[in-house]
Amino acid sequence: MTEILQEKSVCLQDKETSVNFIQQLPKVELHLHIEGTLEPEMMFALAERNGVTLPYNSEEEVRAAYQFSNLQSFLDIYYQGANVLLHEQDFYDLTWAYLERCHQDNVIHTEIFFDPQTHTERGVPFEVVINGIVRALDDAKDKFGISSGIIMCFLRHLDEASAFETLDQALPFKHHIVGVGLDSSELGHPPEKFRRVFEKARQEGFIAVAHAGEEGPVSNIYDSLELLKVSRIDHGVRCVDDEELVTSLAQSRMPLTVCPLSNIKLKVFDKMAQHNIVDLLRKGLCVTINSDDPAYFGGYMTDNFLAVDHCHHLSREELAQFTLNAIEASFISEEQKQQLVDRLDAYMAG
Ligand SMILES: [Zn+2]
């Protein structure tokens, strides 16, 4: 009896140590849609501030609506929520709230997505969006020491002409934007549709990334690599449908920005225990952990790490490897990467 009790208490201690270790582990986020950090509380506050009517009566009602059956059912609610974002200060407040969470979760570098078309299509000017986001990121650098980058995504359910128009709008703000991406409904909107836009974006000096192989087929991963010439694949978990692809992703160290809680919420996997991220890590792929749209999917960076560890029991070195992979995959200079590696090393040594 005493032995069992002792064992239980050791287990509990281990669990607590692991939670603390994960909480304090330096993290790097590479797949985060800033519009997806809009918490119901802020949705209501901004709706009131801006005189926007929401189709919900309470924050609880909003949360209750977050039961998704697939990617599209989420996107419908996501675009509706974004309607409360109208002024530069709104985008500042939204981004700042996310950065405070980063600070709590020990995120030391983040590369965030924004969807200009979600706003410009409603008549909100491009510069209103970018100026609010940039101001918050600058403040987070000063106040929390969090470095960052911005990636502008094209909505793949809209047409090529709209993407070209968005690219033109972005050119005066090129110094603020490191890359272009592709998000929204993957099914029915293959990479080929945006081949020419990505070509122009790369000529303008933007690095390319794309969502592929989340709900869509393996061919979307191949086409993102070959036609869009991406430097990272966002999600990419369907790569396991093609063994040759898995081997080549491991050899090339092509990063996959994986979002575990998102994948469960949108039913890409039924349960976290079935998620393939740890298997891919152990096969040598450059996989990273990210929160995607944390206000909608039930958790920020620490929550995602905890959820994966809870079901897959990782060693400390494996947990740290996710950060190392994200540093390797980030769009910063070698010198900046080394600074982040030094911070991780100091943590592991301490
Ligand atoms: Zn995403």
Side-chain angles (χ1 to χ4, degrees):
M1 187 65 188
T2 324
E3 252 175 49
I4 291 172
L5 279 177
Q6 268 175 353
E7 208 173 288
K8 263 193 172 171
S9 115
V10 169
C11 268
L12 276 176
Q13 260 177 14
D14 277 359
K15 201 170 175 337
E16 212 172 291
T17 319
S18 155
V19 170
N20 287 339
F21 174 81
I22 287 173
Q23 161 65 36
Q24 285 161 35
L25 176 73
K27 303 173 191 72
V28 168
E29 175 142 67
L30 303 177
H31 185 155
L32 177 281
H33 303 268
I34 198 62
E35 293 89 350
T37 67
L38 181 62
E39 294 285 348
E41 293 75 15
M42 185 173 284
M43 196 189 283
F44 271 87
L46 292 180
E48 200 181 336
R49 186 159 98 188
N50 294 332
V52 175
T53 310
L54 287 172
Y56 311 102
N57 293 313
S58 66
E59 287 156 20
E60 291 68 40
E61 229 176 80
V62 180
R63 288 197 196 281
Y66 291 180
Q67 297 301 325
F68 311 115
S69 49
N70 55 25
L71 179 61
Q72 194 56 52
S73 64
F74 153 67
L75 289 170
D76 294 342
I77 285 188
Y78 173 84
Y79 294 125
Q80 203 170 51
N83 284 336
V84 301
L85 298 162
L86 292 176
H87 308 294
E88 185 183 313
Q89 190 60 36
D90 305 337
F91 290 93
Y92 178 92
D93 291 345
L94 175 76
T95 310
W96 184 252
Y98 162 67
L99 291 161
E100 284 187 318
R101 282 304 301 251
C102 284
H103 182 54
Q104 268 178 39
D105 284 7
N106 285 296
V107 173
I108 54 176
H109 177 74
T110 181
E111 293 176 7
I112 68 172
F113 296 127
F114 80 114
D115 289 336
Q117 287 152 300
T118 298
H119 315 296
T120 52
E121 294 264 311
R122 304 180 283 119
V124 178
F126 190 98
E127 60 267 31
V128 164
V129 183
I130 188 99
N131 288 341
I133 295 172
V134 167
R135 192 154 56 83
L137 293 175
D138 285 349
D139 284 355
K141 178 79 191 154
D142 290 345
K143 194 171 172 195
F144 301 137
I146 298 172
S147 54
S148 57
I150 299 179
I151 297 168
M152 170 182 90
C153 283
F154 302 113
L155 297 179
R156 66 204 304 159
H157 66 274
L158 299 180
D159 61 20
E160 187 197 36
S162 174
F164 267 119
E165 201 183 316
T166 304
L167 182 57
D168 282 343
Q169 289 169 345
L171 293 181
F173 303 95
K174 217 156 102 172
H175 53 294
H176 289 310
I177 303 170
V178 65
V180 295
L182 191 60
D183 63 5
S184 184
S185 325
E186 187 182 358
L187 293 171
H189 302 284
E192 164 66 23
K193 185 174 162 185
F194 297 96
R195 188 181 50 78
R196 297 191 318 154
V197 181
F198 269 64
E199 199 177 327
K200 185 173 179 211
R202 282 185 282 102
Q203 281 166 4
E204 291 287 352
F206 294 105
I207 302 172
V209 299
H211 283 49
E214 176 190 13
E215 281 191 340
V218 153
S219 59
N220 279 357
I221 302 179
Y222 277 112
D223 288 351
S224 297
L225 293 168
E226 282 157 25
L227 305 179
L228 306 185
K229 305 202 186 319
V230 297
S231 301
R232 295 199 295 245
I233 294 284
D234 297 313
H235 292 295
V237 289
R238 291 280 305 270
C239 67
V240 291
D241 295 348
D242 182 332
E243 231 173 89
E244 255 178 56
L245 177 60
V246 172
T247 307
S248 104
L249 290 172
Q251 277 167 359
S252 63
R253 296 285 293 162
M254 172 58 62
L256 305 185
T257 64
V258 179
C259 307
L261 285 173
S262 159
N263 290 156
I264 303 307
K265 197 82 177 175
L266 298 185
K267 306 195 187 312
V268 175
F269 298 91
D270 286 339
K271 289 181 182 152
M272 194 58 84
Q274 293 163 355
H275 202 293
N276 60 17
I277 186 168
V278 175
D279 193 37
L280 294 173
L281 179 82
R282 290 174 183 162
K283 283 186 170 141
L285 275 76
C286 186
V287 284
T288 68
I289 292 183
N290 308 273
S291 70
D292 206 3
D293 299 284
Y296 296 86
F297 299 150
Y300 290 77
M301 282 294 272
T302 295
D303 304 310
N304 272 276
F305 270 80
L306 287 173
V308 171
D309 184 52
H310 181 72
C311 292
H312 295 274
H313 312 293
L314 293 148
S315 68
R316 289 183 171 206
E317 287 66 32
E318 285 176 321
L319 289 163
Q321 186 65 43
F322 283 117
T323 296
L324 270 179
N325 286 352
I327 296 171
E328 179 186 336
S330 65
F331 297 148
I332 51 179
S333 68
E334 289 307 316
E335 192 190 343
Q336 286 169 303
K337 285 184 184 183
Q338 191 53 51
Q339 285 169 4
L340 300 185
V341 171
D342 291 345
R343 283 174 75 175
L344 180 65
D345 285 348
Y347 178 68
M348 295 302 281

